[in-house]
Amino acid sequence: MTQAPARRPDPRRQHDREIAALAVPAFGALVAEPLFVMADSAIVGHLGTAQLAGLGVASALLTTAVSVFVFLAYATTAAVARRVGAGDLRAAIRQGMDGVWLALVLGGVVIAVALPAAPGLVDLFGASDTAAPYATTYLRISSLGIPAMLVVLAATGVLRGLQDTRTPLYVAVAGFIVNAGLNAGLVYGAGLGVAGSAWGTVIAQCGMAAVYLTVVVRGARRHGASLRPDAAGIRTSAQAGIPLLVRTLSLRAILMIATAVAARLGDADIAAHQIILSLWSLLAFALDAIAIAGQAIIGRFLGAGDTEGARGVCRRMMQWGIAVGVLLGLLVIVSRPVFLPLFTGDSTVKDTALPALLVVALSQPICGVVFVLDGVLMGAGDGPYLAGAMLITLAVFTPAALAVPVLGGGLTALWGAMTLMMAVRMLTLWLRARSGRWLVTGATR
């Protein structure tokens, strides 16, 4: 009696398990980040309207400043994952330390600029005379925590590259809890007002950075990696981050142009736009979690020289992106009547937002592909192409968005332009993925 041949394990199931193991904790950590601002807003909001307005301006400035340096996480993830794939954990952690040192250098530069420039920046953002002093106070104090925030970005990249997204989740949740407690205690218990909220955030961010550094330093000592700053390594990390910086700035420009156009359409349109943009950002967290998994897994496969494995996981993640995009789109369509009343009781704003939300829902499968392929190419270290592709996207989007008010279009037309933007991104990323030119193997690119 012949024995039946053993079943080969299905690579798709293996990919699914690995993607889920990285993406689910990453999603939790991503969602925890905006909760910092929400907790600050909820606590400061009870001090008065001027204080809350000042916090809003300062938070917008801080968020913009930190988001510009998100390449510290992206570039570090890809570089560390390649070393992990090559089987050299010592070099992987050494590479990660270069990213951490770069974060400290950049953080020092930002502090040097932010402290004296705080009043001018607050005025530039249009803060009222009553809100400006609170915004300046919050911005000056919170800027002291920027080095810690950037270290958190870089160290998160190290752990993601090491295929660990659980530790960032735990740290993010603990940081949120500590931040909320400190804010309440310092704002009301110590009577420090807005300054207390800022100090609470600084202390929480420094605590998070300390935890990350402890984890990374232990790993470095375990594997005999040097902790000293290396000028060549820091320079290499900066060079890898420059294209991703261009990509991020281009994306920020697109969002700013969209908001500026919405403001020209009228009060109801800009109000509806802000509601939709907040939902769009929340949906992006779910898709970005898959992209983060892509960065870590693709980098590891290419570091190990496994191009077929990289292609296979890329295909599987695209299927994930489309499926999650379809699910999110359906959720948006079903929840539209419930979602809008949470933000506004103005029937004009709701009527303006409803058709635009339908456009957002229909675009989610496209967004799913975009986020996945973005993560794949980041994991491959294909930053220069990503920068060029985003500049092309910006060039296509800008005239399309500016034409909306000229041609008499409304908010739905503007979000049609946003969907065009995502479609252009999908095309440029798909062409690159299909070409295979991103499949560069080795411990370094």
Side-chain angles (χ1 to χ4, degrees):
M1 188 174 180
T2 57
Q3 187 175 2
R7 272 189 174 184
R8 290 186 178 182
D10 187 349
R12 291 178 302 177
R13 289 188 178 180
Q14 184 177 349
H15 293 328
D16 289 344
R17 285 194 295 270
E18 194 166 17
I19 294 168
L22 291 171
V24 173
F27 174 69
L30 289 169
V31 170
E33 290 173 11
L35 293 179
F36 272 78
V37 177
M38 290 178 63
D40 290 1
S41 299
I43 292 169
V44 171
H46 291 285
L47 294 174
T49 302
Q51 289 90 333
L52 183 59
L55 172 66
V57 171
S59 294
L61 285 163
L62 285 166
T63 301
T64 300
V66 173
S67 66
V68 164
F69 298 110
V70 73
F71 69 83
L72 288 167
Y74 294 159
T76 304
T77 297
V80 171
R82 275 185 176 270
R83 299 282 192 178
V84 169
D88 192 346
L89 287 177
R90 178 179 178 180
I93 296 175
R94 174 64 259 180
Q95 188 97 43
M97 284 304 304
D98 292 336
V100 171
W101 281 111
L102 176 61
L104 288 170
V105 171
L106 292 174
V109 172
V110 173
I111 287 180
V113 172
L115 287 178
L121 290 171
V122 167
D123 288 339
L124 185 64
F125 264 60
S128 67
D129 292 339
T130 54
Y134 298 112
T136 301
T137 297
Y138 191 94
L139 182 59
R140 278 182 165 159
I141 296 172
S142 293
S143 65
L144 299 176
I146 285 180
M149 295 179 195
L150 299 189
V151 166
V152 167
L153 284 177
T156 299
V158 176
L159 295 178
R160 288 173 181 171
L162 293 171
Q163 318 296 296
D164 176 12
T165 56
R166 289 183 179 273
T167 300
L169 171 61
Y170 300 147
V171 176
V173 171
F176 166 71
I177 295 171
V178 171
N179 177 69
L182 285 171
N183 268 258
L186 294 174
V187 170
Y188 297 112
L192 296 179
V194 168
S197 177
W199 280 118
T201 300
V202 169
I203 294 169
Q205 292 287 353
C206 289
M208 291 171 65
V211 172
Y212 275 118
L213 288 176
T214 299
V215 173
V216 173
V217 167
R218 283 178 179 172
R221 288 176 175 169
R222 188 182 308 119
H223 297 285
S226 173
L227 297 174
R228 294 180 181 180
D230 176 62
I234 295 172
R235 188 165 53 249
T236 299
S237 294
Q239 289 171 347
I242 288 172
L244 296 180
L245 175 61
V246 172
R247 168 201 168 275
T248 300
L249 290 174
S250 299
L251 182 56
R252 296 295 300 183
I254 287 170
L255 297 177
M256 289 175 65
I257 290 169
T259 300
V261 170
R264 291 179 62 186
L265 296 175
D267 290 346
D269 293 87
I270 185 61
H273 176 74
Q274 288 302 114
I275 294 171
I276 294 171
L277 191 60
S278 67
L279 175 63
W280 195 73
S281 300
L282 179 62
L283 297 174
F285 285 137
L287 298 172
D288 202 25
I290 307 174
I292 288 169
Q295 293 170 31
I297 298 171
I298 291 294
R300 195 190 75 231
F301 270 109
L302 294 179
D306 187 355
T307 57
E308 285 306 310
R311 281 186 184 276
V313 77
C314 175
R315 286 192 296 268
R316 193 58 176 168
M317 278 189 291
M318 282 185 64
Q319 293 168 359
W320 269 65
I322 294 170
V324 173
V326 169
L327 177 61
L328 293 176
L330 291 173
L331 287 174
V332 171
I333 292 172
V334 171
S335 65
R336 280 187 308 160
V338 179
F339 172 74
L340 288 173
L342 295 176
F343 290 85
T344 181
D346 189 325
S347 59
T348 303
V349 174
K350 287 191 282 189
D351 290 343
T352 303
L354 274 171
L357 274 175
L358 184 59
V359 174
V360 171
L362 295 175
S363 70
Q364 287 309 297
I366 297 174
C367 295
V369 175
V370 168
F371 274 82
V372 164
L373 292 181
D374 207 38
V376 165
L377 296 183
M378 280 185 193
D382 206 10
Y385 182 84
L386 290 171
M390 189 58 79
L391 287 172
I392 292 171
T393 303
L394 175 61
V396 173
F397 171 77
T398 302
L402 295 179
V404 169
V406 175
L407 298 176
L411 189 65
T412 302
L414 176 59
W415 277 92
M418 289 286 285
T419 302
L420 171 65
M421 177 269 293
M422 294 303 289
V424 172
R425 288 186 69 188
M426 182 178 70
L427 178 62
T428 57
L429 296 175
W430 178 78
L431 288 173
R432 184 64 168 182
R434 187 169 178 265
S435 73
R437 293 177 185 173
W438 55 279
L439 290 164
V440 179
T441 58
T444 58
R445 184 178 170 91

